[in-house]
Amino acid sequence: MSVTTRAGDDALRQLLSRQLDVITRRQALAAGVTVSSLRHRLGSSWQSLIPGVYLATTGTPTIIQEQMAAMLHAGRGSVITGPAALQQHRIRGPAADLIDVLIPASRRRQDAAFVRLHRTTRMPKRVWRFGPLSYALPARAVADTVRSLTSLRDVRAIVADAVQRRACTVPDLSEELNNGSTVGSKLFREALTDVAEGIHSAAEGDLKDLLAKSDLPMPLFNASIFDNDGTFIARPDAWWPKYGVAVEVDSHEWHLSPHDHTRTLERQRRMGKYGIVVLPFTPKGIRTQPAEVINTIRHALETGRRPANIQTKAAEAA
């Protein structure tokens, strides 16, 4: 092997190492791989992921290798957004077969295979990096995801999850809402308003929607309850201070461990000690037995009364 060939092989290995074993045709040729050698590799040890973008191994590509291929196809400075970015930030989002990538509005590239390109004049000034990959920050990823959704429940679930996990704040999301496209912004705006008013999950959103359709008074969502000495009592999902009635949405999504279940019971016992009527419902019950839920709450409000020894502080936007 000549020194020139050895240097070329070293450069190719270093490039593949930096790019998670993903490489473009142009890069391979620049690294000294001949057209005939490239053709041979594609028939044996390499595979095509996107036209002109290859994986230099056999077997099924990983998610991050597909994302690397998406960025190479999109070109320098591109940024992954949408559900793929939400997943990286540990925010619950919709499953997606496509990888959404932001590119400058002036760039002439087309969608290909599993890559969906989004031309924008608002390329992110800051990104979240994972090795060679660049992702939109959480607020931008949320905004880019929810604008394509048609269900308020789905939009609210993503917005609430992002805020609950402290991936971003309500002001962060509000900035994205105001600065971004108006297309698909209606549900985003409504969901953000709900979360700012205390809605913490899709199930709480379902409860809010159900109550809004009834003739019952609206509660405070996730307000903090204290006794007159300032001792914290609880923060129920919904709270009617005038009637001393609280609703708890018991969701396995957030209460997975015996410890969480024990804390829930202790919280409900504390409220009961102060004369608060606690009504627990499951998310499924709210969705499938709405009349029963409304009737139960109605009866409690009709018979309840304001406890004399407690104070309420409304939830603050995160």
PDB file of all heavy atoms in Angstrom, residues 211 216-217 240 243-245 279 296-305:
ATOM      1  N   LEU A 211     -65.760  20.205  31.470  1.00  0.00           N
ATOM      2  CA  LEU A 211     -66.407  21.194  32.334  1.00  0.00           C
ATOM      3  C   LEU A 211     -66.888  22.396  31.528  1.00  0.00           C
ATOM      4  O   LEU A 211     -67.934  22.983  31.823  1.00  0.00           O
ATOM      5  CB  LEU A 211     -65.431  21.645  33.424  1.00  0.00           C
ATOM      6  CG  LEU A 211     -65.096  20.588  34.482  1.00  0.00           C
ATOM      7  CD1 LEU A 211     -63.925  21.055  35.343  1.00  0.00           C
ATOM      8  CD2 LEU A 211     -66.304  20.289  35.355  1.00  0.00           C
ATOM      9  N   LEU A 216     -71.468  23.813  34.909  1.00  0.00           N
ATOM     10  CA  LEU A 216     -70.798  23.919  36.204  1.00  0.00           C
ATOM     11  C   LEU A 216     -69.801  25.074  36.192  1.00  0.00           C
ATOM     12  O   LEU A 216     -69.260  25.426  35.140  1.00  0.00           O
ATOM     13  CB  LEU A 216     -70.063  22.614  36.527  1.00  0.00           C
ATOM     14  CG  LEU A 216     -70.916  21.354  36.656  1.00  0.00           C
ATOM     15  CD1 LEU A 216     -70.042  20.147  36.964  1.00  0.00           C
ATOM     16  CD2 LEU A 216     -71.973  21.532  37.738  1.00  0.00           C
ATOM     17  N   PRO A 217     -69.540  25.670  37.354  1.00  0.00           N
ATOM     18  CA  PRO A 217     -68.517  26.727  37.414  1.00  0.00           C
ATOM     19  C   PRO A 217     -67.136  26.131  37.146  1.00  0.00           C
ATOM     20  O   PRO A 217     -66.870  24.982  37.509  1.00  0.00           O
ATOM     21  CB  PRO A 217     -68.637  27.249  38.847  1.00  0.00           C
ATOM     22  CG  PRO A 217     -69.226  26.105  39.624  1.00  0.00           C
ATOM     23  CD  PRO A 217     -70.161  25.414  38.678  1.00  0.00           C
ATOM     24  N   TRP A 240     -62.318  23.933  43.551  1.00  0.00           N
ATOM     25  CA  TRP A 240     -63.384  24.918  43.701  1.00  0.00           C
ATOM     26  C   TRP A 240     -63.331  25.445  45.132  1.00  0.00           C
ATOM     27  O   TRP A 240     -63.921  24.846  46.054  1.00  0.00           O
ATOM     28  CB  TRP A 240     -64.745  24.283  43.445  1.00  0.00           C
ATOM     29  CG  TRP A 240     -65.067  23.962  42.015  1.00  0.00           C
ATOM     30  CD1 TRP A 240     -65.773  24.721  41.131  1.00  0.00           C
ATOM     31  CD2 TRP A 240     -64.717  22.761  41.306  1.00  0.00           C
ATOM     32  NE1 TRP A 240     -65.891  24.077  39.923  1.00  0.00           N
ATOM     33  CE2 TRP A 240     -65.256  22.871  40.001  1.00  0.00           C
ATOM     34  CE3 TRP A 240     -64.008  21.599  41.642  1.00  0.00           C
ATOM     35  CZ2 TRP A 240     -65.099  21.871  39.045  1.00  0.00           C
ATOM     36  CZ3 TRP A 240     -63.833  20.619  40.695  1.00  0.00           C
ATOM     37  CH2 TRP A 240     -64.380  20.753  39.400  1.00  0.00           C
ATOM     38  N   TYR A 243     -66.551  25.948  47.257  1.00  0.00           N
ATOM     39  CA  TYR A 243     -67.319  24.767  47.666  1.00  0.00           C
ATOM     40  C   TYR A 243     -66.473  23.735  48.412  1.00  0.00           C
ATOM     41  O   TYR A 243     -67.008  22.740  48.889  1.00  0.00           O
ATOM     42  CB  TYR A 243     -67.942  24.102  46.436  1.00  0.00           C
ATOM     43  CG  TYR A 243     -68.767  25.052  45.609  1.00  0.00           C
ATOM     44  CD1 TYR A 243     -68.216  25.676  44.483  1.00  0.00           C
ATOM     45  CD2 TYR A 243     -70.085  25.351  45.942  1.00  0.00           C
ATOM     46  CE1 TYR A 243     -68.956  26.563  43.717  1.00  0.00           C
ATOM     47  CE2 TYR A 243     -70.827  26.238  45.183  1.00  0.00           C
ATOM     48  CZ  TYR A 243     -70.264  26.846  44.075  1.00  0.00           C
ATOM     49  OH  TYR A 243     -71.012  27.727  43.323  1.00  0.00           O
ATOM     50  N   GLY A 244     -65.168  23.951  48.501  1.00  0.00           N
ATOM     51  CA  GLY A 244     -64.306  22.999  49.183  1.00  0.00           C
ATOM     52  C   GLY A 244     -64.212  21.657  48.471  1.00  0.00           C
ATOM     53  O   GLY A 244     -64.085  20.618  49.121  1.00  0.00           O
ATOM     54  N   VAL A 245     -64.279  21.661  47.138  1.00  0.00           N
ATOM     55  CA  VAL A 245     -64.258  20.436  46.341  1.00  0.00           C
ATOM     56  C   VAL A 245     -63.007  20.416  45.467  1.00  0.00           C
ATOM     57  O   VAL A 245     -62.675  21.415  44.811  1.00  0.00           O
ATOM     58  CB  VAL A 245     -65.515  20.318  45.454  1.00  0.00           C
ATOM     59  CG1 VAL A 245     -65.419  19.112  44.523  1.00  0.00           C
ATOM     60  CG2 VAL A 245     -66.766  20.221  46.334  1.00  0.00           C
ATOM     61  N   LEU A 279     -62.445  14.238  44.873  1.00  0.00           N
ATOM     62  CA  LEU A 279     -63.059  13.344  43.899  1.00  0.00           C
ATOM     63  C   LEU A 279     -61.979  12.831  42.945  1.00  0.00           C
ATOM     64  O   LEU A 279     -61.478  13.583  42.110  1.00  0.00           O
ATOM     65  CB  LEU A 279     -64.130  14.087  43.093  1.00  0.00           C
ATOM     66  CG  LEU A 279     -65.237  14.781  43.897  1.00  0.00           C
ATOM     67  CD1 LEU A 279     -66.153  15.532  42.937  1.00  0.00           C
ATOM     68  CD2 LEU A 279     -66.025  13.757  44.700  1.00  0.00           C
ATOM     69  N   THR A 296     -71.230  13.580  39.334  1.00  0.00           N
ATOM     70  CA  THR A 296     -70.524  13.434  40.614  1.00  0.00           C
ATOM     71  C   THR A 296     -70.017  14.779  41.108  1.00  0.00           C
ATOM     72  O   THR A 296     -70.150  15.125  42.287  1.00  0.00           O
ATOM     73  CB  THR A 296     -69.349  12.450  40.462  1.00  0.00           C
ATOM     74  OG1 THR A 296     -69.843  11.177  40.040  1.00  0.00           O
ATOM     75  CG2 THR A 296     -68.605  12.289  41.778  1.00  0.00           C
ATOM     76  N   ILE A 297     -69.421  15.547  40.205  1.00  0.00           N
ATOM     77  CA  ILE A 297     -68.914  16.867  40.586  1.00  0.00           C
ATOM     78  C   ILE A 297     -70.081  17.786  40.961  1.00  0.00           C
ATOM     79  O   ILE A 297     -70.017  18.531  41.953  1.00  0.00           O
ATOM     80  CB  ILE A 297     -68.090  17.485  39.437  1.00  0.00           C
ATOM     81  CG1 ILE A 297     -66.836  16.649  39.169  1.00  0.00           C
ATOM     82  CG2 ILE A 297     -67.706  18.929  39.764  1.00  0.00           C
ATOM     83  CD1 ILE A 297     -66.033  17.103  37.964  1.00  0.00           C
ATOM     84  N   ARG A 298     -71.170  17.719  40.196  1.00  0.00           N
ATOM     85  CA  ARG A 298     -72.324  18.566  40.487  1.00  0.00           C
ATOM     86  C   ARG A 298     -72.858  18.307  41.903  1.00  0.00           C
ATOM     87  O   ARG A 298     -73.125  19.253  42.656  1.00  0.00           O
ATOM     88  CB  ARG A 298     -73.427  18.304  39.467  1.00  0.00           C
ATOM     89  CG  ARG A 298     -74.627  19.266  39.606  1.00  0.00           C
ATOM     90  CD  ARG A 298     -75.796  18.835  38.723  1.00  0.00           C
ATOM     91  NE  ARG A 298     -75.374  18.632  37.354  1.00  0.00           N
ATOM     92  CZ  ARG A 298     -75.220  19.610  36.473  1.00  0.00           C
ATOM     93  NH1 ARG A 298     -75.444  20.859  36.840  1.00  0.00           N
ATOM     94  NH2 ARG A 298     -74.854  19.340  35.226  1.00  0.00           N
ATOM     95  N   HIS A 299     -73.002  17.040  42.251  1.00  0.00           N
ATOM     96  CA  HIS A 299     -73.513  16.693  43.585  1.00  0.00           C
ATOM     97  C   HIS A 299     -72.581  17.219  44.669  1.00  0.00           C
ATOM     98  O   HIS A 299     -73.040  17.758  45.694  1.00  0.00           O
ATOM     99  CB  HIS A 299     -73.665  15.185  43.710  1.00  0.00           C
ATOM    100  CG  HIS A 299     -74.107  14.737  45.075  1.00  0.00           C
ATOM    101  ND1 HIS A 299     -75.404  14.906  45.531  1.00  0.00           N
ATOM    102  CD2 HIS A 299     -73.418  14.136  46.092  1.00  0.00           C
ATOM    103  CE1 HIS A 299     -75.502  14.432  46.760  1.00  0.00           C
ATOM    104  NE2 HIS A 299     -74.317  13.959  47.125  1.00  0.00           N
ATOM    105  N   ALA A 300     -71.277  17.084  44.462  1.00  0.00           N
ATOM    106  CA  ALA A 300     -70.319  17.549  45.462  1.00  0.00           C
ATOM    107  C   ALA A 300     -70.395  19.067  45.619  1.00  0.00           C
ATOM    108  O   ALA A 300     -70.319  19.588  46.748  1.00  0.00           O
ATOM    109  CB  ALA A 300     -68.912  17.115  45.061  1.00  0.00           C
ATOM    110  N   LEU A 301     -70.540  19.785  44.518  1.00  0.00           N
ATOM    111  CA  LEU A 301     -70.626  21.243  44.592  1.00  0.00           C
ATOM    112  C   LEU A 301     -71.916  21.695  45.276  1.00  0.00           C
ATOM    113  O   LEU A 301     -71.938  22.697  46.009  1.00  0.00           O
ATOM    114  CB  LEU A 301     -70.538  21.855  43.183  1.00  0.00           C
ATOM    115  CG  LEU A 301     -69.226  21.651  42.414  1.00  0.00           C
ATOM    116  CD1 LEU A 301     -69.302  22.307  41.044  1.00  0.00           C
ATOM    117  CD2 LEU A 301     -68.038  22.195  43.195  1.00  0.00           C
ATOM    118  N   GLU A 302     -72.985  20.967  45.031  1.00  0.00           N
ATOM    119  CA  GLU A 302     -74.274  21.323  45.628  1.00  0.00           C
ATOM    120  C   GLU A 302     -74.279  21.108  47.125  1.00  0.00           C
ATOM    121  O   GLU A 302     -74.982  21.820  47.863  1.00  0.00           O
ATOM    122  CB  GLU A 302     -75.395  20.508  44.978  1.00  0.00           C
ATOM    123  CG  GLU A 302     -75.701  20.929  43.534  1.00  0.00           C
ATOM    124  CD  GLU A 302     -76.709  20.014  42.872  1.00  0.00           C
ATOM    125  OE1 GLU A 302     -76.993  18.936  43.446  1.00  0.00           O
ATOM    126  OE2 GLU A 302     -77.196  20.353  41.770  1.00  0.00           O
ATOM    127  N   THR A 303     -73.492  20.151  47.605  1.00  0.00           N
ATOM    128  CA  THR A 303     -73.490  19.825  49.040  1.00  0.00           C
ATOM    129  C   THR A 303     -72.253  20.340  49.761  1.00  0.00           C
ATOM    130  O   THR A 303     -72.184  20.291  50.995  1.00  0.00           O
ATOM    131  CB  THR A 303     -73.576  18.295  49.231  1.00  0.00           C
ATOM    132  OG1 THR A 303     -72.469  17.668  48.555  1.00  0.00           O
ATOM    133  CG2 THR A 303     -74.874  17.762  48.658  1.00  0.00           C
ATOM    134  N   GLY A 304     -71.268  20.833  49.011  1.00  0.00           N
ATOM    135  CA  GLY A 304     -70.028  21.272  49.628  1.00  0.00           C
ATOM    136  C   GLY A 304     -70.125  22.675  50.192  1.00  0.00           C
ATOM    137  O   GLY A 304     -71.074  23.409  49.925  1.00  0.00           O
ATOM    138  N   ARG A 305     -69.130  23.052  50.966  1.00  0.00           N
ATOM    139  CA  ARG A 305     -69.073  24.403  51.522  1.00  0.00           C
ATOM    140  C   ARG A 305     -67.607  24.806  51.692  1.00  0.00           C
ATOM    141  O   ARG A 305     -66.726  23.954  51.824  1.00  0.00           O
ATOM    142  CB  ARG A 305     -69.796  24.487  52.868  1.00  0.00           C
ATOM    143  CG  ARG A 305     -69.278  23.557  53.935  1.00  0.00           C
ATOM    144  CD  ARG A 305     -70.184  23.560  55.154  1.00  0.00           C
ATOM    145  NE  ARG A 305     -69.734  22.608  56.171  1.00  0.00           N
ATOM    146  CZ  ARG A 305     -68.839  22.895  57.103  1.00  0.00           C
ATOM    147  NH1 ARG A 305     -68.301  24.098  57.141  1.00  0.00           N
ATOM    148  NH2 ARG A 305     -68.484  21.996  57.999  1.00  0.00           N
TER     149      ARG A 305
END
